[in-house]
Amino acid sequence: MAAGSASSVSLPALLPVGTLLLSLLLTGSNALASPRFTKVPIDQIGVSGGVVSFVCQATGDPKPRVSWNKKGKKVNSQRIETIEFDEGAGAVLRIQPLRAPRDENIYECVAENSEGEITVNAKLSIIREDLLPSGFPNIDMGPQLKVVERTRTATMLCAASGNPDPEITWYKDFLPIDPNASNGRIKQLRSGALQIENSEETDQGKYECVASNVEGVRYSSPANLYVRVRRVSPRFSITPTSQEIMPGGSVNITCVAVGSPMPYVKWMLHTEDLTPEDEMPVGRNVLVLDSVRESANYTCVAMSSLGIIEATAQITVKSLPKPPGTPEVTETTATSVTITWDSGNPDPVTHYIIQYRAKSPESKFETMDGITTTRYSIGGLYPNTEYEIRVSAFNTIGQGPPSEPVETRTGEQAPASPPRNVKARIISQNTMMVRWEEPEEPNGQIKGYRVYYTMDDSQPMAHWQIHNVQDSMITTIQSLVPSETYTIKVLAFTSVGDGPFSEPIHVKVLQGVPGQPTKFQVGAVSDTSIELTWEPAYEREGIISYNLHYKEGSPGILIKKTFGPTSSYVVDGLRPNTEYLLSLAAVSNKGLGAFTNDITQKTLQAKPSAPPQDIKCAPSSSTSLLVAWRPPPVESQNGALAGYTVRYQVEAAAGSVESAAGTADNEETSGEVSVPFGEQVLLPRLEKWTQYQISVAALTHMGSGPESELLSCRTDEDVPGAPPRRVDVDVLNSTALKVMWRSLAPGKQHGQIRGYQVHYVRVENGESRGLPLIKDVMLADAQ
């Protein structure tokens, strides 16, 4: 756009909110004032067939009126249009399409009020398309038709080229747009595009992109922007829900409706409005009800210009359910009871719970929940046990009171446990007395007991002799073979069947011989000892000693020990982590009594008592050693092995003191490595060509065992780590030199030194001449 004679100022808003124009901010008092231009038109160069616009605006008191003249006369042409704004105080002169030379002229903007009249001129030049200069603006991409929903962002694109780069401005409905007057809602992007955020209906219109530079001005083709306003009838997004409450309770009912435009929401009870007209909210309405005593239907009404919808919530005032009828027992088994009951409630219930307990002072009710029928079987009960059962009903309010309880007893089963504390004693030359106590779990009425006895307990039970007992827990068995040892087992039975056998006991048919010790069991246990405790069968038999037999596992060698009368004994000298079988018999002056049944006990773990075996070591590199081994012998492991510890240190030379001098920072002279699993380890970061002493120890969870014997192992050779020391040169004659040196420090040799290389080069005027020459000197020739 060509430069004008007057400096430009901002124009006031010409359009409603949405499409904003440049505006003038008016200040001052009520004094009359002649017109003054706030926006003057500037000279323009257009293209034939194109468009130009001249913008003019003035201020004054009273407000002036602006008009356009051409050669002193009002502009009058179908191609020339005047668009007024700011109540006539501003006007845009738009010429389209341009015709040359007809439209080339001086155009006058006239501003007048009762206090005076002023004018300002602007010149229009027109160039034919085929004569345009090379830098004339060109619209490379103009805006296109666009439809956007209200509140969304619309972007009108524009790209232009020219030399110099053209400035891009925008017009809407033939009036200029000022993005700075939109509070940031309308932005012109660096690309030239116009971005309209939170679009409004007033943004709808015809948009033009204008590119201008010193060569002229060019307009894009106009493009319409349509702002679509959605019209959606009301609908409920949250429908009010029916609820049941206790008498006098409180409840909140939420109703949410949406639409476009958003609907108003109110509550009604029958024909009564519960929401005041002047407080009717938009979209969401929560009805708060307190101290509700009566049931009622509440209606939520949502309304907009597009319609009215309704939704009803039923508030039911309910009480807790009544107690069901007393349950009736229809079937029982040893572990279950089936009951039926009457609901006892005219209104529906959601479910029932059954509570039951065994009839004993310390028992508590157990609960079966979520039952939806009036018949149910309770399982998992104890046999031959009396139970108390009751039922409660639930509705949406809560749990009602329980029914009257019903009492019933489960059926019998065979005993689930054997008779307790079975004991036997000899009362004559061929007769013994056996007694016991009732089983812990009889599961019914005990009808009697069966005593099984035999001299050969390896035979099947079917071959044992049987002695039946009723209504008693003591009996005598006659016709026994003197001096023989009998094994005895006892079981209880009900009307349903036999229970399990008791643990076997042993008795020797010899008067005065002690009975089998009872309650023979293990006390404290360590890695090398087991404590045993017991109770003597009958103290009056005059026990003078005990015989203890034990062995390592089933195939082990039987070891016998004898000790005086006591009720406990510690077996020591045992091996750690080893299973032992032990049995005990009492001795009187009449002889040895029957041995107890074997009991089994394992000693605790201990530290290994022997080191790992077959320790081997081999160099893996000049700085690492690979160490391998086998576990200690099984009998010396004393538990589950938890890993190994490998220790290593530099082996000191005979008569010398080991020093770390000269050792690199990343090399180690001693240390230890834990190996949680596996039977080998790589020791890294060692000194080169160095002799190490290595030992390995095994571990259990109790600690570390002894270390293996020290094993010597040397890392591999490597290149020397330093140059020779004290290099000196003597001149022998005009063609010979004598070179002398000292060997490397021992810590830097890194192997067996086998020779040296002497590098020498001729020097002239302090500079080397030619490549260095190399002479190999084997160790035998070294000087």
Side-chain angles (χ1 to χ4, degrees):
M1 188 177 293
S5 58
S7 59
S8 61
V9 296
S10 299
L11 293 176
L14 308 180
L15 300 176
V17 175
T19 303
L20 302 177
L21 300 181
L22 304 173
S23 63
L24 172 69
L25 302 178
L26 299 178
T27 60
S29 64
N30 295 326
L32 298 179
S34 58
R36 177 175 58 85
F37 284 115
T38 57
K39 178 64 178 177
V40 296
I42 58 178
D43 297 342
Q44 296 199 49
I45 303 172
V47 59
S48 179
V51 183
V52 294
S53 297
F54 294 99
V55 181
C56 185
Q57 189 177 14
T59 184
D61 191 11
K63 200 166 196 174
R65 186 159 195 85
V66 171
S67 60
W68 282 95
N69 294 336
K70 177 182 177 183
K71 297 180 180 180
K73 298 180 180 180
K74 293 288 185 185
V75 175
N76 184 18
S77 172
Q78 293 182 345
R79 295 180 298 102
I80 302 178
E81 183 179 2
T82 300
I83 304 98
E84 292 185 352
F85 62 91
D86 190 19
E87 300 175 353
V92 174
L93 179 68
R94 180 183 176 91
I95 307 174
Q96 178 185 11
L98 294 175
R99 295 285 184 262
R102 185 185 314 170
D103 297 327
E104 289 185 307
N105 216 315
I106 302 295
Y107 293 86
E108 301 172 346
C109 174
V110 181
E112 57 182 332
N113 65 5
S114 60
E115 300 301 310
E117 175 183 310
I118 57 174
T119 62
V120 65
N121 297 334
K123 180 182 178 182
L124 172 61
S125 302
I126 303 174
I127 306 175
R128 281 170 38 192
E129 186 78 41
D130 58 343
L131 299 178
L132 292 176
S134 59
F136 197 88
N138 186 59
I139 302 294
D140 299 328
M141 179 177 63
Q144 302 294 322
L145 172 70
K146 183 174 291 292
V147 179
V148 65
E149 286 192 9
R150 188 170 68 86
T151 73
R152 299 295 179 89
T153 297
T155 302
M156 307 296 286
L157 301 179
C158 180
S161 58
N163 188 16
D165 290 338
E167 178 186 356
I168 293 178
T169 56
W170 283 87
Y171 279 70
K172 174 182 178 291
D173 296 332
F174 305 150
L175 295 176
I177 298 173
D178 181 11
N180 296 326
S182 67
N183 294 324
R185 193 176 68 84
I186 298 178
K187 303 183 183 72
Q188 183 169 325
L189 307 181
R190 294 179 63 184
S191 65
L194 188 70
Q195 180 176 284
I196 304 172
E197 297 178 353
N198 194 23
S199 57
E200 302 171 353
E201 292 179 74
T202 54
D203 294 326
Q204 184 166 296
K206 183 181 295 185
Y207 286 78
E208 291 174 295
C209 161
V210 182
S212 58
N213 63 11
V214 294
E215 300 293 345
V217 62
R218 189 187 293 271
Y219 280 63
S220 71
S221 298
N224 283 319
L225 171 66
Y226 294 97
V227 179
R228 185 171 62 193
V229 180
R230 295 186 63 191
R231 301 289 180 180
V232 180
S233 299
R235 67 175 179 84
F236 290 113
S237 59
I238 299 179
T239 306
T241 56
S242 298
Q243 300 185 49
E244 296 177 344
I245 60 174
M246 295 284 288
S250 300
V251 65
N252 294 349
I253 319 173
T254 299
C255 181
V256 179
V258 295
S260 184
M262 285 290 287
Y264 290 94
V265 181
K266 69 177 182 178
W267 282 99
M268 297 184 68
L269 176 60
H270 306 305
T271 58
E272 177 189 358
D273 279 340
L274 302 180
T275 305
E277 193 75 25
D278 56 348
E279 297 179 9
M280 195 179 303
V282 173
R284 183 175 186 269
N285 196 336
V286 179
L287 180 63
V288 179
L289 301 174
D290 294 317
S291 301
V292 181
R293 296 290 176 183
E294 296 181 357
S295 300
N297 292 335
Y298 294 86
T299 302
C300 175
V301 180
M303 63 189 79
S304 74
S305 58
L306 299 181
I308 299 175
I309 56 174
E310 297 181 353
T312 299
Q314 185 179 31
I315 302 302
T316 304
V317 179
K318 289 192 65 175
S319 57
L320 293 173
K322 298 177 182 179
T326 304
E328 296 182 5
V329 177
T330 59
E331 184 181 353
T332 59
T333 69
T335 58
S336 68
V337 173
T338 302
I339 58 173
T340 62
W341 62 91
D342 180 70
S343 172
N345 285 274
D347 296 327
V349 299
T350 58
H351 65 279
Y352 300 92
I353 65 168
I354 295 176
Q355 295 175 306
Y356 64 95
R357 67 177 178 182
K359 287 205 68 180
S360 60
E362 68 278 1
S363 65
K364 297 180 180 179
F365 277 107
E366 296 188 53
T367 301
M368 307 293 292
D369 202 352
I371 300 166
T372 57
T373 63
T374 55
R375 183 181 186 276
Y376 194 78
S377 292
I378 308 169
L381 305 180
Y382 292 106
N384 193 44
T385 302
E386 191 170 4
Y387 283 89
E388 176 185 345
I389 306 170
R390 65 189 187 187
V391 182
S392 297
F394 266 82
N395 62 13
T396 52
I397 302 303
Q399 179 183 350
S403 66
E404 290 296 322
V406 64
E407 297 180 359
T408 187
R409 180 178 289 274
T410 52
E412 292 189 352
Q413 264 188 345
S417 61
R420 298 172 293 155
N421 296 330
V422 180
K423 297 180 180 179
R425 60 175 295 193
I426 302 301
I427 58 176
S428 70
Q429 185 176 357
N430 59 359
T431 303
M432 67 176 170
M433 180 178 66
V434 184
R435 59 182 178 182
W436 57 88
E437 296 175 10
E438 188 179 65
E440 287 187 355
E441 299 178 63
N443 288 349
Q445 182 67 40
I446 298 295
K447 297 297 184 182
Y449 298 89
R450 303 190 215 282
V451 180
Y452 286 69
Y453 59 100
T454 183
M455 290 185 292
D456 184 4
D457 59 3
S458 64
Q459 291 185 334
M461 296 300 299
H463 295 166
W464 288 33
Q465 293 176 278
I466 303 174
H467 182 79
N468 290 316
V469 180
Q470 290 183 342
D471 302 327
S472 178
M473 287 180 284
I474 187 171
T475 189
T476 59
I477 302 175
Q478 302 176 347
S479 303
L480 302 178
V481 178
S483 300
E484 290 292 337
T485 298
Y486 283 82
T487 301
I488 302 163
K489 294 182 180 182
V490 184
L491 64 79
F493 62 89
T494 65
S495 58
V496 177
D498 293 350
F501 284 105
S502 65
E503 288 295 317
I505 65 168
H506 309 281
V507 64
K508 192 171 185 179
V509 185
L510 186 63
Q511 276 189 295
V513 170
Q516 186 181 30
T518 59
K519 297 184 180 179
F520 182 50
Q521 58 191 11
V522 173
V525 179
S526 73
D527 57 339
T528 58
S529 66
I530 298 174
E531 181 187 28
L532 302 171
T533 63
W534 62 89
E535 293 180 1
Y538 303 107
E539 290 186 6
R540 64 176 178 271
E541 292 178 349
I543 297 172
I544 61 173
S545 64
Y546 285 95
N547 281 5
L548 175 68
H549 292 180
Y550 65 94
K551 58 182 178 180
E552 293 183 11
S554 299
I557 299 174
L558 186 66
I559 302 174
K560 301 178 181 180
K561 285 188 178 291
T562 300
F563 46 86
T566 183
S567 59
S568 65
Y569 183 76
V570 176
V571 187
D572 52 17
L574 306 180
R575 295 199 311 124
N577 197 45
T578 303
E579 190 173 84
Y580 287 87
L581 277 70
L582 309 102
S583 63
L584 182 71
V587 180
S588 70
N589 290 324
K590 296 292 184 177
L592 177 67
F595 275 89
T596 62
N597 299 320
D598 286 341
I599 59 174
T600 302
Q601 179 60 47
K602 194 173 189 178
T603 51
L604 300 182
Q605 295 188 25
K607 302 176 183 179
S609 54
Q613 309 174 86
D614 297 338
I615 314 299
K616 296 178 181 178
C617 176
S620 179
S621 70
S622 62
T623 59
S624 62
L625 295 172
L626 181 64
V627 182
W629 61 87
R630 289 196 304 108
V634 174
E635 63 273 10
S636 302
Q637 293 180 9
N638 296 341
L641 294 182
Y644 299 87
T645 300
V646 180
R647 293 184 175 87
Y648 59 93
Q649 62 180 8
V650 172
E651 182 177 324
S656 68
V657 177
E658 190 64 35
S659 173
T663 300
D665 291 342
N666 62 343
E667 295 177 345
E668 297 185 3
T669 59
S670 65
E672 68 176 45
V673 178
S674 295
V675 185
F677 53 85
E679 296 173 11
Q680 66 176 29
V681 68
L682 184 70
L683 304 179
R685 299 187 301 277
L686 305 180
E687 293 186 25
K688 299 175 181 178
W689 186 242
T690 301
Q691 192 86 3
Y692 281 85
Q693 290 184 325
I694 296 168
S695 65
V696 184
L699 299 92
T700 66
H701 291 296
M702 302 304 295
S704 177
E707 295 185 13
S708 63
E709 292 185 2
L710 293 176
L711 176 67
S712 293
C713 192
R714 182 184 289 275
T715 52
D716 278 340
E717 289 188 82
D718 207 333
V719 297
R725 299 176 295 167
R726 300 182 186 178
V727 178
D728 197 10
V729 180
D730 287 343
V731 178
L732 298 181
N733 54 43
S734 61
T735 60
L737 298 172
K738 180 179 180 182
V739 182
M740 296 167 289
W741 61 87
R742 294 286 300 275
S743 181
L744 287 71
K748 295 295 184 180
Q749 293 183 5
H750 295 167
Q752 185 68 42
I753 299 298
R754 290 172 169 77
Y756 299 88
Q757 282 188 338
V758 179
H759 293 232
Y760 57 99
V761 65
R762 189 176 65 176
V763 177
E764 295 180 2
N765 299 323
E767 293 185 0
S768 301
R769 298 294 183 183
L771 295 175
L773 300 176
I774 300 174
K775 179 176 179 62
D776 290 325
V777 181
M778 301 312 293
L779 191 60
D781 303 326
Q783 297 295 317

